[in-house]
Amino acid sequence: MATNKGVVYTKPGEVEVREIGFPDLVLKDGPGVNPLNVGRKCEHGVILKVIVTNICGSDQHMVRGRTTAPSGLVLGHEITGEVIEVGRDVEFIKKGDLVSVPFNIACGRCRNCKQQDTHICENVNPDRPGSAYGYVDMGGWVGGQSEYVMVPYADFQLLKFPDKDQAMEKILDLTMLSDIFPTGYHGAVSAGVKPGSTVYVAGAGPVGLAAAHAAQILGASVVIVGDLIEERLAQARSFGCETVNLRQHDKLEEQIEQILGIPEVDCAIDAVGFEASEHGEGAGEAPATVLNSIMGATRAGGRLGIPGLYVTGDPGAEDAEAKEGTLKIRFGLGFAKAHTFVTGQTPVMKYHRDLMQAILSGKAQIAKAVNATVISLDDAPAGYKEFDGGVAKKFVIDPHGMLK
């Protein structure tokens, strides 16, 4: 029997690389697995040898202890791999295929999946619509920061790369198709970015940088990125974005006016989520800061794309309301300005094929934009700590040492 190591959340601030058992085409009991999902047969699934898998900012929320994630949860929802075993009911995906795995787990059969709303599949999570690998309250599907992983509903979900050699040459770009590139793109599309748009992106982490690059691809005339960390802002400037250091400047609209000549943008993207901070030197956590600031900085009639994560339970929040996901949002301002808000997980399958083509043609340079940085599986705990410190890198785990 082959062995399998994976990155496991142990306690707030700590992850470990452990033996986790080789995957099977059945969802077994384990940390975080919904009891109603235990024993679920997945003959429609495949086993992948993980070629690359990434550390995501969403993982960091769990590792920081800001969710109800249980100890022992195997992490990882950004997965690219080679098929080594196919279930009895898999018809089109074959052994040897190199594939990208959408982080949303979707059955392809329910009403939402048939409407391309694969982020809110009705059949994969007994608690509520929507699921993901290695994530709290998402049904318990085992994460993919590992050597091998099981992926259900393979024929429906998996994006096969047309040429394996070409894919391996561009693997640092293609690994972003499982989450952050479609997520950033979804944020830009939801915000209504079009040729000539002026765009503000809150947050210069990997999703924010992906959203900024996506806005450029969609034809934005100016993309402004705001963050508290200068190293991340330098990364945004490296591919042509304007930037605002919100630790040095607490009045966002004044900084936008210095760049554009007017104190507002056409549309805005929240790539921060619920662990937001107030602006200015020494400012503390305030989870509604980004939502309120982008309403203030976006023109009347504008759109707000909100791919940043917001949760229903935050045990690490500083006040009782925020602990249950209730935030002090200036909704009246959004109403007065007739803003459109688009929230929720990204339906990856709506975008990943087109974005793959953009990568393969050279149109998209997403690995460069997010500063993709390769580490080994054993180095993942150190990668988590470095990423948590705000480094301007997107860590790509190479479990088998296959990358050049």
Side-chain angles (χ1 to χ4, degrees), residues 193-199 212-223 363:
V193 178
K194 62 182 187 299
S197 294
T198 57
V199 186
H213 186 43
Q216 292 173 331
I217 291 170
L218 289 166
S221 59
V222 181
V223 180
K363 176 72 173 177

Side-chain angles (χ1 to χ4, degrees), residues 5-73:
K5 293 192 301 183
V7 180
V8 175
Y9 167 70
T10 58
K11 62 183 179 180
E14 297 292 335
V15 301
E16 295 179 1
V17 178
R18 293 180 179 175
E19 170 62 40
I20 61 172
F22 199 81
D24 196 0
L25 295 174
V26 61
L27 187 52
K28 300 175 182 178
D29 198 8
V33 180
N34 190 299
L36 295 175
N37 261 350
V38 173
R40 187 167 180 161
K41 293 181 173 58
C42 297
E43 290 292 346
H44 44 64
V46 299
I47 307 298
L48 296 184
K49 178 182 180 179
V50 178
I51 305 300
V52 278
T53 177
N54 313 326
I55 297 175
C56 181
S58 297
D59 298 321
Q60 288 285 18
H61 295 307
M62 291 186 290
V63 174
R64 292 186 189 119
R66 299 300 296 266
T67 71
T68 56
S71 179
L73 184 73

